[in-house]
Amino acid sequence: MSHVLVIYTDDEPGVLTRVAMLFRRRGFNIHSLTVGPTERVHVSRMTVVVDTDEATARRAVEHLRKLVNVLEVQQLGHGRNVVRDLALLRVSTRQGRSEVLQLVQVFRANVVDIADDSVVIECTGSLGKIEALVDSLRPFGILELGRTGAVAMARGLRSEDSNRLAAVATVAPGSSGAMSV
Amino acid sequence: MDRTGAQIIWECLLREGVETVFGYPGGAILPTYDAMTEYPIRHVLVRHEQSAVHMADGFARASGRTGVVVATSGPGATNLVTGLATAMLDSIPLVAITGQVGSGLLGTDAFQEVDITGITLPITKHNYLVTRAQDIAPAIREAFAVASSGRPGPVLVDITKDAQQGRATLDWEGAAPTRHLRHIPPSPSQVDLDRALAMINAAQRPVILAGHGIQLSGARAEVLALAELAQIPFAETLLGLGAVPASHVLSLGMMGMHGESWVNQAIQEADLLIALGMRFDDRVTGRLKEYAPNALKIHVDIDASEINKLVPVDVPLGGDLKQVLQAMLPSVKAADHTPWLERIRSWRGDSAVRDIKNLPDDGHLYAAHVMHDLWKITKGEAVVVTDVGQHQMWEAQYYHHDGERSLITSGGAGTMGFALPAAIGAKLARPEAEVWVVAGDGGFQMTFAELMTAVQEGVKVNIAIINNGYLGMVRQWQALFYEGRYAATPILSPDFVKLAGAFGIHGERVEKRSDLEAAVARARQQPGTALIEFKVEQEDSVYPMVAAGAALHDMIRRPSPSPIAETGADPV
Ligand SMILES: Cc1ncc(C[n+]2csc(CCOP(=O)(O)OP(=O)(O)O)c2C)c(N)n1
Ligand SMILES: [Mg+2]
């Protein structure tokens, strides 16, 4: 069963190592991990998809909450999230470019590069959609596949709720620039 | 005022209330050592950096204050690793400051460059690499806050040489830490408190599991109030010994692998376990599937990740133990559990255990004798610092600790070599206390160079070496589980009396129980550190014992017939 955790952290060198190390050390199996900046300065946001049971996911949350660099951890409820992954695929067009392009349309993906005998396709969507696209294109020959891992957000949050999180996330970092590794 | 980074380090330590640090100098920390002489802080020069951490650890365990370590880069820093892991596993507040190569050389494999923040990531609560003088104060202040708040633990601050040499203004207020407050555990919900109270008030066969958290939270009075009000007996973990008094009528004794059989029995038959600041380590639960099968479980811990980790509980109470108990106590109903207490008492009487301390003095000396007699002679009032092995378990069984912070031992990590340095730290924290080292012949040989530290610093500790000629605890496992193949466990020792002489301290050897009392008296009278080597029965084992992976009630008893008779009665 996969669980989606959203982790707000200080934007400092080494924080990713701390989070990754925690997952490794406690034996939590990471399916994907993405990290990027947020609407707030000095705050990063990670989306981690873990393959585990509910109890273990909850324990992972409690462990994450012990990291000094972690501001807040949310475990997204099932079904009430937007989960998006970005994939780039280089697909051979030797067996028919038009069929490939048709599939691109069906999946509402985009062609972002065209070469002699291949195209690069960009697709954003749920994990399921991307997997379906990959499966459909496989017979044509996938020459290269790159995926970002999931970015996720809860659906239907009222603005107060998001503000509360923002408040948590902007507790001033105590060290003015002491680099945490 | 403009200061060097090195001065800022000492200024911060001073303002944090630090009076003593334990350390060892070297190139990358030299600017800091150079500035040290300007500050009224005592520096204890150790003989190995691992011992510096154990000393700071002993200092912290004895006093409740954060211990401080200073070391150089590279090998100085890597020598801290075992000590930090020891402190991490036992939740001891420490701050370790290490020198690092200049920031321009970071990542170049410079002379004595080691990625110590990388190495210590999983064995510290947090760590820092500081490369600028102005970042030193915020890092050190936060390190102290992180080390001592919530569930305590060690924190390492790695400071490059140029940061120590650079200049900055010390903005103490501006460096006030806040991030350690991010995850202070919430108080448990009223719903959970009420559920816990209902269970406590309804229980027929309750047992309190008393752990180290009682000490860390300062919750002794609240735990005793709960126990007395509702007449709930309590069993202690190794680190819980002394957190609650052993002589209390409701105290059962130590639980677990070498716990008392009646204690484990009580846990297995309980209908309610109230776990207070303990973490269901495998050494106290035995086989999890068969652990306390009939009991509802309430677990209070400040570290929410400990709750439901190994033993699923019915009521999780994340929070500071003292506060949680204070919230519950007004609603705890007075109860009478006489039948239950009687039942446990009958097991206690029936268990022809391992009571060798009443034996006539037949010329053999047993470690249990030594522990028992030491307890009597010191009236149970000494601070005992043990090493790791059989002697550690005998100490736990036969030295009954009433006072808080009176037993200092490496529980989670089981680090041999811990005792002597930790005892030196403990004595420095509590100069008025009588401090005893109880160490095996094996473990003592790991760190006995610190005898010279004790001499140089004028520290008096009393040392009992339990010499059985073996790495006894491992030999015991070989005897029980490896058909008696004693691979690499017989160990020779130097002449400990001569060794004491070489260090210029008092030393003597005891081979008969009848000589024990006088020898202990002489050691206590010595103004300086004194050492007694006790030559004990070589192949004695610690009983009872729950084999690793066996159910808690499935205890191996002292084999009978045995050269050692058992009396069953609790001697006085
Ligand atoms: C640093 C370290 N190395 C190895 C061990 C494994 N170990 C646990 S107890 C023990 C034997 C200890 O022997 P000794 O110090 O003589 O004490 P005894 O058990 O004989 O009382 C050993 C080797 C350990 N706990 N710590
Ligand atoms: Mg030994």
Side-chain angles (χ1 to χ4, degrees):
Chain A
M1 177 96 205
S2 69
H3 295 263
V4 182
L5 309 182
V6 173
I7 310 166
Y8 292 91
T9 71
D10 295 323
D11 178 14
E12 286 179 5
V15 174
L16 180 60
T17 313
R18 289 177 193 279
V19 171
M21 183 84 131
L22 189 156
F23 280 94
R24 179 194 63 83
R25 149 121 165 76
R26 299 285 175 184
F28 303 132
N29 206 357
I30 298 181
H31 183 267
S32 75
L33 188 159
T34 61
V35 57
T38 63
E39 72 284 4
R40 294 180 294 276
V41 283
H42 304 313
V43 176
S44 302
R45 187 180 190 281
M46 296 183 196
T47 304
V48 184
V49 181
V50 284
D51 287 322
T52 183
D53 56 52
E54 176 67 28
T56 310
R58 245 186 278 140
R59 221 152 25 79
V61 171
E62 296 299 348
H63 278 292
L64 286 163
R65 290 205 168 122
K66 295 200 293 183
L67 295 181
V68 169
N69 292 113
V70 168
L71 295 127
E72 175 59 16
V73 188
Q74 293 173 283
Q75 186 182 345
L76 299 191
H78 290 287
R80 299 202 31 83
N81 320 313
V82 190
V83 183
R84 290 292 178 269
D85 202 339
L86 169 71
L88 292 177
L89 302 99
R90 190 188 310 281
V91 178
S92 164
T93 48
R94 286 192 179 164
Q95 299 177 45
R97 180 180 282 181
S98 61
E99 287 174 29
V100 171
L101 295 184
Q102 241 174 17
L103 276 168
V104 168
Q105 273 198 338
V106 171
F107 279 90
R108 296 210 205 96
N110 297 311
V111 173
V112 290
D113 184 55
I114 302 185
D116 276 358
D117 58 356
S118 71
V119 289
V120 175
I121 299 163
E122 169 202 294
C123 178
T124 308
S126 67
L127 307 179
K129 171 178 163 180
I130 289 178
E131 259 139 44
L133 174 67
V134 171
D135 284 346
S136 321
L137 289 170
R138 188 161 286 133
F140 296 91
I142 296 177
L143 306 172
E144 197 178 342
L145 169 62
R147 288 177 64 170
T148 57
V151 176
M153 212 170 260
R155 285 183 198 273
L157 270 198
R158 298 167 58 87
S159 52
E160 300 93 281
D161 298 333
S162 316
N163 285 344
R164 186 189 61 76
L165 270 175
V168 172
T170 45
V171 172
S175 63
S176 50
M179 188 167 82
S180 287
V181 175
Chain B
M1 192 181 87
D2 223 27
R3 291 180 169 89
T4 65
Q7 289 171 319
I8 291 175
I9 292 172
W10 293 110
E11 187 66 35
C12 288
L13 293 181
L14 207 56
R15 294 193 194 200
E16 291 289 348
V18 174
E19 291 160 5
T20 307
V21 302
F22 304 90
Y24 209 88
I29 193 73
L30 204 43
T32 297
Y33 270 86
D34 189 48
M36 179 173 79
T37 48
E38 303 161 32
Y39 294 85
I41 290 182
R42 176 173 185 174
H43 179 271
V44 175
L45 177 67
V46 298
R47 295 301 181 273
H48 187 292
E49 289 88 350
Q50 178 182 336
S51 294
V53 193
H54 292 330
M55 282 184 206
D57 180 317
F59 181 95
R61 292 187 205 229
S63 64
R65 287 151 60 197
T66 299
V68 180
V69 178
V70 182
T72 193
S73 68
T78 54
N79 274 351
L80 303 180
V81 166
T82 301
L84 293 172
T86 303
M88 184 71 178
L89 279 160
D90 284 351
S91 311
I92 305 302
L94 298 183
V95 171
I97 293 172
T98 47
Q100 181 55 282
V101 301
S103 57
L105 292 171
L106 281 173
T108 67
D109 302 319
F111 178 64
Q112 293 193 331
E113 184 195 2
V114 157
D115 174 17
I116 197 62
T117 42
I119 289 173
T120 59
L121 204 92
I123 52 166
T124 51
K125 251 186 105 174
H126 193 60
N127 61 24
Y128 305 82
L129 171 60
V130 181
T131 56
R132 302 184 307 178
Q134 65 264 38
D135 297 336
I136 290 175
I140 291 185
R141 284 201 73 177
E142 191 174 277
F144 273 87
V146 169
S148 61
S149 59
R151 177 177 177 178
V155 178
L156 181 132
V157 187
D158 196 27
I159 307 176
T160 59
K161 194 166 183 178
D162 51 326
Q164 298 167 52
Q165 289 164 327
R167 299 189 80 86
T169 320
L170 171 58
D171 176 8
W172 182 254
E173 296 312 321
T178 55
R179 296 196 299 184
H180 67 292
L181 298 173
R182 284 173 174 171
H183 310 301
I184 291 302
S187 325
S189 69
Q190 193 57 46
V191 176
D192 281 339
L193 286 174
D194 288 342
R195 286 175 58 222
L197 281 160
M199 286 178 188
I200 291 171
N201 290 333
Q204 299 295 310
R205 300 187 308 281
V207 174
I208 288 172
L209 306 177
H212 190 204
I214 297 172
Q215 189 71 81
L216 295 170
S217 169
R220 180 189 180 104
E222 287 76 12
V223 173
L224 293 182
L226 169 67
E228 286 164 10
L229 185 58
Q231 285 295 296
I232 307 174
F234 45 89
E236 299 95 16
T237 66
L238 178 63
L239 294 196
L241 296 175
V244 282
S247 63
H248 195 285
V249 282
L250 289 167
S251 174
L252 299 177
M254 185 169 74
M255 65 179 95
M257 182 173 273
H258 291 297
E260 311 291 358
S261 60
W262 65 84
V263 182
N264 289 349
Q265 186 79 14
I267 290 169
Q268 291 300 77
E269 301 215 358
D271 67 352
L272 176 66
L273 292 182
I274 308 164
L276 305 180
M278 56 83 71
R279 57 184 176 87
F280 295 105
D281 184 88
D282 54 87
R283 286 295 187 265
V284 306
T285 60
R287 191 187 305 148
L288 281 171
K289 267 199 222 114
E290 289 174 64
Y291 182 68
N294 308 316
L296 292 169
K297 295 170 190 91
I298 298 169
H299 191 180
V300 189
D301 204 290
I302 198 160
D303 180 350
S305 71
E306 287 296 351
I307 300 178
N308 284 317
K309 183 176 79 173
L310 294 163
V311 173
V313 303
D314 299 280
V315 186
L317 298 177
D320 174 63
L321 181 58
K322 189 184 185 83
Q323 288 170 14
V324 171
L325 290 180
Q326 280 173 346
M328 291 202 327
L329 277 171
S331 312
V332 174
K333 293 209 177 74
D336 173 29
H337 293 303
T338 307
W340 173 231
L341 295 172
E342 281 305 321
R343 187 121 176 264
I344 300 174
R345 210 160 289 143
S346 74
W347 293 329
R348 183 179 195 142
D350 292 347
S351 65
V353 222
R354 68 238 170 339
D355 234 340
I356 56 178
K357 51 195 180 203
N358 267 354
L359 282 180
D361 185 7
D362 60 358
H364 291 263
L365 183 62
Y366 293 95
H369 288 149
V370 180
M371 294 309 137
H372 174 74
D373 293 355
L374 203 57
W375 169 64
K376 298 286 281 190
I377 295 167
T378 58
K379 302 196 182 72
E381 288 168 359
V383 171
V384 184
V385 187
T386 81
D387 219 79
V388 171
Q390 292 183 312
H391 62 280
Q392 177 188 33
M393 293 297 111
W394 278 314
E395 197 283 345
Q397 292 178 336
Y398 293 104
Y399 197 107
H400 304 292
H401 289 273
D402 279 350
E404 292 187 81
R405 304 185 181 282
S406 65
L407 170 59
I408 293 176
T409 193
S410 165
T415 303
M416 285 173 70
F418 174 81
L420 176 62
I424 293 170
K427 181 69 180 179
L428 285 164
R430 281 166 52 193
E432 77 296 344
E434 175 177 355
V435 176
W436 275 87
V437 170
V438 171
D441 44 339
F444 191 73
Q445 291 189 68
M446 283 195 171
T447 51
F448 72 63
E450 302 307 330
L451 284 173
M452 209 59 229
T453 306
V455 171
Q456 184 166 350
E457 294 293 327
V459 171
K460 176 186 174 49
V461 294
N462 301 312
I463 300 164
I465 299 176
I466 308 301
N467 187 351
N468 53 10
Y470 282 102
L471 300 175
M473 186 57 94
V474 180
R475 185 208 58 75
Q476 171 167 347
W477 283 51
Q478 289 170 331
L480 291 172
F481 313 119
Y482 294 86
E483 292 157 12
R485 289 184 297 276
Y486 292 170
T489 44
I491 185 167
L492 290 183
S493 289
D495 180 328
F496 284 117
V497 177
K498 281 194 183 150
L499 185 82
F503 283 98
I505 62 170
H506 173 84
E508 56 183 293
R509 182 173 299 117
V510 171
E511 300 186 49
K512 292 207 299 279
R513 192 177 185 186
S514 52
D515 295 338
L516 186 152
E517 190 165 350
V520 168
R522 281 189 294 274
R524 296 174 88 195
Q525 277 156 16
Q526 288 293 320
T529 287
L531 177 158
I532 308 174
E533 174 195 9
F534 292 96
K535 288 275 231 193
V536 299
E537 183 72 23
Q538 293 212 322
E539 296 193 30
D540 193 8
S541 291
V542 184
Y543 297 103
M545 176 176 190
V546 182
L552 192 59
H553 54 269
D554 184 8
M555 299 195 84
I556 305 170
R557 301 304 186 82
R558 182 172 288 281
S560 176
S562 140
I564 300 161
E566 304 195 46
T567 66
D570 210 26
V572 272

